[in-house]
Amino acid sequence: MSKAIDLGVNIDHVATLRQARGGRFPSVIDAAELAVVAGATGITMHLREDRRHIQDQDVRDVLASVRVPVNLEMAVTDEMLAIAAELRAPHCCLVPERREELTTEGGLNVAGNAARIRDAAGQLRNNGYRVSLFIDPDPEQVQAAYDSGAPVIELHTGAYSNAKGDGIADELLRLKTAAEQAEKLGLIVHAGHGLNTHNVGPVARLSQVTELNIGHSIVSRALFIGLDEAIGEILRAMQDARR
Ligand code: PXP
């Protein structure tokens, strides 16, 4: 198995805390820089349509300050595609978005919106982005992602993270099957959502998965042990699983 596994740290919830008071603290730039020192190989930011946490200027600031790739998560809308064309982050992950949701609840329905997503992925590629599609671990979505021309998929691990009892093994099998299918198609496989030190091991052990994107659990742990230690802790859990 490939031993290396990267960690993209999602800093959205540092901005959530800042937005609670509408000021400048905590700083997402400081968080991004500290995350890199602590071992993050990428910084992920979701510019939501409602701007509930990350703001447009945050993306500009972080792009200007960190030396690792920034992964801009966004919905497939004309507004976001225009912003992406202006910002030029190196990586972009297309995600579904519903205004009333607390978090990104499911994967992008690539199979059901094939033409629109192929077109969006094409526009982003023309702007120099490496495009990834955040999808549920379903065979038809993996195939549709491949057909869209995107080189990367990010498997949504939310159902796995929320599963209980026998459901955990079932969800892990869905992830494994999707990762194997993607590998056969030549896709790069990432995964994320709802992962923490307790549940990350089995996902990190999937040899096809080369990167995990983790946010909420890291920022939550950081309140108690600090951001660098919270990142160190999850990196150790990922790397132990990979040995
Ligand atoms: N990957 C994607 C595409 C996401 O949308 C999110 C949540 O914004 C994450 C990973 C990180 O999820 P969590 O915050 O639950 O770790």
Side-chain angles (χ1 to χ4, degrees), residues 42-60:
I43 298 294
T44 295
M45 316 171 77
H46 186 174
L47 186 65
R48 292 188 79 101
E49 291 182 87
D50 62 10
R51 308 299 197 274
R52 69 175 69 160
H53 38 53
I54 295 294
Q55 308 297 305
D56 304 48
Q57 189 60 39
D58 292 329
V59 183
R60 285 192 198 93

Side-chain angles (χ1 to χ4, degrees), residues 4 6-7 18-19 43 48 55 57 64 93 99 101 108 127 139 152 170 172 202 209 226 232 236 242:
D6 290 334
L7 173 65
R18 181 196 60 195
Q19 295 306 103
I43 298 294
R48 292 188 79 101
Q55 308 297 305
Q57 189 60 39
C93 180
R99 249 162 222 271
E101 70 190 355
L108 196 61
N127 284 320
V152 186
D170 294 345
L172 194 59
V209 174
R236 285 193 292 280
R242 205 74 170 189

